[in-house]
Structures are given as C-alpha cells and as structure tokens.
Amino acid sequence: MSTPALDRLLRRLDYQFNDVTLAELALTHRSVSSKNNERLEFLGDAILGFVIADELYRRFPDAQEGALSRLRSSLVKGVTLAEVARELEMGDYLVLGSGELKSGGFRRDSILACALEAMIGAVYLDGGEAPCRALLLRLFDSRLRASSPDSVEKDPKTQLQEYLQGMGLPLPEYRLLKVEGEHHEQVFQVECCAQGLEVAVQGQGGGRRKAEQQAAKRALKLLMAAPPVKK
C-alpha cells in the first residue's frame, strides 16, 4: 500500500501502479541497500531512448539520421532528465543512505536522472508498453513540441571530428588521465591529441564524456585559430 507522500508523486505522474512496490524500488538509491533502483534504471534508459527515437522519427520524416541522433541526445541526456525529475519534485521522495542525504544527493542531477529512468522502467513492468509510452510523451511533451532538427548544435566532439575529416587528417584520440574524488562526486580528467596541435589539450568534468567534450572544445578552438595544412 502506498503512503500519502508517494500518492502525491503518483498523481503528478498521472499513473496508478498495480504493484506499488515497483514505484518504491524505483526511488531507492543504491546507497540504501543491495535492493535498489539500478536494474530498473537500466531498463528505463533503454525504453526512454526507444520511445523518444520513435517519436522523433515520426515527427520529423525529412530529418537526417545525424540530426535525429543529436536531437534525441539532447532530450535523454542526464541534465534534461534531472530537469524533468525536478518538475515532478522527485527529490522529495527519494530513499537515500545517510551519506547521500548529508551530501545533498536528493538535489544531484545524476541521482535524479537515474531515479526518473528507474520510474520509467517500473511503469513499463507494471503496466506495459502503452502506458509507459503515454507517460513519457506527457513528461516530454513541451520539450518535444519545442524540438527542431535544426535547433540542436553539434557537440564539440562531433565538431572536432568533422573538422579534422574535412582537412583530411586522422581522427582525434582521447586518453583518460585520472579520476579523483568520492564515488558520488568524481572528477574525470582526459587529454585530447589531434594532428595540428602542438601539445595535447586537457579537459575535466563530472564524467568521462563531459571531460572529453571539454577537451574537444579546447582542441577545436586552437586548431581553428591556427589551422593545420589541409591534405
């Protein structure tokens, strides 16, 4: 039986669970116990990617694959998922271990995004594909309506790759240098090597991909300031 607090969240979701323990599990972080939302998160991530890809394919019949991929990435990235979770006030319902509570885990983008994905997985297991799809289209309605294949800028790694290809040069290489910090606050540092750069450039961020994007952005800026000889 759900609690009054959980009922408030379910009303925001506009979904009534047959098995409310799935919703409770979706809100349980791994810092609590081995019985947590990570498996549901795995499932929800896959479902989210499919539903958004399918919807974009239908909405933009003339868009090319690259534009659709960039648009999907912008909609399912962690920052966007955390925004949706905050709109639902999911942070108020998370079950966290004492360490995560003290460090403000209920406000952290990564935890909120994972909880949303886990809830998507829970709805899928509880009600099937149709209710889950309906839920996602409700949650992402305003973002989907505001979407356009022409409005999403290519990310720095893609820009760097296409720039080098246009110059007839090899693709860039990325190398992880180090990872620092506690598990929930890790900082990744990487370097990017590309022909035309005098030295490798570095980037850092709260994930390896973010660090690589930062390094790529710096590399592209340097290369465009002093372009290598085109082959």
Side-chain angles (χ1 to χ4, degrees):
M1 182 179 294
S2 62
T3 64
L6 182 56
D7 283 340
R8 288 195 294 273
L9 174 59
L10 299 185
R11 283 195 294 272
R12 291 193 181 98
L13 289 170
D14 193 20
Y15 179 78
Q16 186 62 49
F17 274 86
N18 297 302
D19 181 2
V20 75
T21 61
L22 284 169
E24 293 170 345
L25 183 61
L27 297 168
T28 303
H29 188 254
R30 65 185 177 192
S31 59
V32 176
S33 72
S34 58
K35 190 174 183 180
N36 55 59
N37 64 7
E38 286 188 323
R39 282 171 53 84
L40 286 174
E41 174 199 342
F42 164 79
L43 180 61
D45 174 64
I47 295 165
L48 173 65
F50 167 74
V51 171
I52 295 299
D54 180 63
E55 186 65 18
L56 292 174
Y57 183 88
R58 296 171 188 274
R59 287 186 182 226
F60 305 110
D62 298 324
Q64 297 298 310
E65 182 273 338
L68 291 174
S69 293
R70 291 192 296 274
L71 196 51
R72 179 187 59 187
S73 295
S74 73
L75 289 168
V76 304
K77 64 183 180 181
V79 173
T80 304
L81 300 186
E83 289 174 355
V84 175
R86 287 192 179 93
E87 291 166 6
L88 294 167
E89 298 182 2
M90 287 188 72
D92 295 344
Y93 307 96
L94 294 175
V95 182
L96 303 170
S98 58
E100 289 293 351
L101 278 172
K102 291 177 182 177
S103 64
F106 57 90
R107 293 189 298 265
R108 192 169 299 121
D109 279 6
S110 59
I111 290 180
L112 289 168
C114 290
L116 180 64
E117 289 177 329
M119 189 62 73
I120 293 166
V123 171
Y124 175 80
L125 289 179
D126 186 75
E129 182 179 347
C132 188
R133 178 183 177 87
L135 169 68
L136 286 172
L137 295 184
R138 285 197 304 273
L139 293 180
F140 286 82
D141 177 61
S142 62
R143 291 171 173 82
L144 284 165
R145 285 190 282 108
S147 296
S148 166
D150 301 323
S151 65
V152 183
E153 185 180 359
K154 295 178 182 179
D155 64 83
K157 286 184 67 175
T158 301
Q159 291 182 49
L160 176 60
Q161 177 176 316
E162 292 183 352
Y163 177 83
L164 291 171
Q165 286 176 324
M167 300 292 288
L169 299 174
L171 295 180
E173 295 182 359
Y174 300 91
R175 185 167 71 92
L176 179 64
L177 298 178
K178 60 181 177 181
V179 182
E180 297 179 321
E182 298 296 326
H183 180 76
H184 60 278
E185 293 181 328
Q186 287 184 328
V187 176
F188 291 71
Q189 186 170 343
V190 303
E191 69 173 12
C192 172
C193 300
Q195 190 168 324
L197 292 174
E198 293 185 2
V199 294
V201 296
Q202 296 184 5
Q204 67 178 33
R208 181 165 182 168
R209 177 173 173 78
K210 289 183 178 180
E212 289 177 349
Q213 295 286 13
Q214 186 185 85
K217 185 175 182 178
R218 291 175 175 172
L220 185 62
K221 184 177 180 179
L222 290 171
L223 288 170
M224 294 182 73
V229 178
K230 187 172 183 178
K231 291 191 175 181

